[in-house]
Each structure stands twice: as C-alpha cells, then as structure tokens.
Amino acid sequence: MDYGKLIEKALEAREYSYSPYSHFKVGAALLCEDGKVYTGCNIENRAYGPTNCAERTAFFKAVSEGKRDFTAIAIVGGEEETVWCYPCGVCRQVMAEFCDEESFKIICGKTADEYRVFSLKELLPEMF
Ligand code: THU
C-alpha cells in the first residue's frame, strides 16, 4: 500500500477523534505485514491521564487481534486543519516494543501528498 492511501485512512480515522478537552484531533493507520490496516483515533478523558493517543489505539487494536508484524504507521493531527504531528514519547516506546527500528516507517502527514517519513530509530534513538 502506498503512503498516500495509508494517510487517507488515518484522515478517515481522525473523524472519530474524541477530543473535547484539547480539540486536537489525531488519526492513525497502522499497516501490518500481511497488508491489513488497523486505524485509531485519540480518545480523551475528563481525568486527562487515561487519554489514549491515536497511534496506541491502532496498535492495541492490532495486537489484541493477534497481529505482531508491522510495516508502517501514518499519523495526521491538528485542531481543524492538519499540522505536522509527530508521535509522543509513550507511543514511540510502544512502537519500539513491536517494530524493527530500521525498517518500520513512521509517516507524518498533512495531506495524502504532503508527508514526512522517519524510521523508528530516527525518532527514538538509543531506545530502551
Ligand atoms: N495525541 C495523539 O493522539 N497522538 C500524538 O501523536 C500526539 C498527541 C493526542 C493526545 C491528546 O488527545 C491530544 O493529541 C493533544 O495532546
């Protein structure tokens, strides 16, 4: 699957964002090695701490259905218009648990045509 299509799925997932506190809507689309895609959005909570990021929603959906092998994740976010949105430290650590630091690609998109691609190693060097 090309990165533009994966970003479109992340943009669709972003529509489901539950973010009444930050108003920052995030969507993610996680591509498995077998070609299946799991999407996620951020889900906030009035106690703030239980908030789950879009990336972790996608990972936990996939892992809870038996997936372990991942190729790439697309991430889009912003209050209304999308801005450059990079994964938080907690989500990077979750990626490190399941993904190869060189081959797994993190695609931060503004639109299906405008995106930046990183390896996990670039965004989480010297990982635990
Ligand atoms: N958020 C994500 O879902 N993913 C990110 O990569 C960065 C932050 C969410 C958490 C919270 O609901 C909102 O964005 C503002 O921080």
Side-chain angles (χ1 to χ4, degrees):
M1 173 175 291
D2 70 46
Y3 292 158
K5 284 213 176 89
L6 200 61
I7 292 168
E8 276 168 16
K9 287 186 184 294
L11 287 165
E12 282 169 30
R14 181 173 172 266
E15 294 299 311
Y16 299 118
S17 167
Y18 177 75
S19 42
Y21 306 105
S22 74
H23 305 288
F24 194 85
K25 299 190 287 180
V26 186
L30 176 62
L31 178 62
C32 303
E33 260 178 35
D34 65 4
K36 193 163 162 60
V37 175
Y38 286 84
T39 58
C41 63
N42 55 331
I43 304 168
E44 298 188 344
N45 188 277
R46 63 182 66 174
Y48 298 157
T51 291
N52 207 54
C53 290
E55 297 91 319
R56 276 177 288 140
T57 302
F59 265 94
F60 295 157
K61 282 169 68 179
V63 173
S64 68
E65 294 190 16
K67 302 296 178 187
R68 292 288 188 280
D69 301 309
F70 305 106
T71 304
I73 189 167
I75 304 161
V76 294
E79 285 208 15
E80 282 308 324
E81 296 297 304
T82 53
V83 296
W84 293 117
C85 178
Y86 306 101
C88 80
V90 172
C91 289
R92 294 178 198 203
Q93 186 63 37
V94 168
M95 292 174 199
E97 187 67 26
F98 295 104
C99 305
D100 182 83
E101 62 179 359
E102 310 257 9
S103 62
F104 184 73
K105 295 293 181 271
I106 299 160
I107 302 137
C108 300
K110 276 171 87 172
T111 67
D113 304 313
E114 196 182 2
Y115 54 82
R116 295 172 181 168
V117 183
F118 304 92
S119 67
L120 179 57
K121 195 176 185 178
E122 284 177 287
L123 295 191
L124 192 65
E126 312 297 349
M127 65 182 66
F128 180 70

